Amino acid sequence: MTTSTIGKPGAATFLVADMSCNHCASAIRAALSDRLPGADVAIDLGTKTVTVVGEGAAAEAAIREAGYEPVRQAG
């Protein structure tokens, strides 16, 4: 995980409870890369969180399209 992503302006953090392994994380990272090229993405399997600097709504849609259920976290 890149801690520099957390707390950046425009960062959106999602709890992705059904992200359970490295394959899941890779699928989410690929979906985000396709939808938001060059976006700063941090994935933490331990906490099941995905933080993206960029358009939060587009990031949420990309995670859903990859087959996962993101829940946007406050903050």
Side-chain angles (χ1 to χ4, degrees):
M1 178 170 171
T2 306
T3 56
S4 63
T5 302
I6 298 171
K8 275 191 175 178
T13 299
F14 302 92
L15 174 64
V16 186
D18 52 347
M19 177 178 66
S20 60
C21 64
N22 284 326
H23 171 71
C24 297
S26 293
I28 289 170
R29 188 175 299 279
L32 290 167
S33 179
D34 286 347
R35 179 66 72 96
L36 299 165
D40 192 1
V41 176
I43 297 177
D44 186 332
L45 276 172
T47 61
K48 297 182 181 259
T49 57
V50 176
T51 302
V52 181
V53 177
E55 174 56 45
E60 183 174 358
I63 296 169
R64 286 190 189 286
E65 288 170 10
Y68 299 90
E69 295 295 324
V71 176
R72 192 163 187 166
Q73 304 298 287

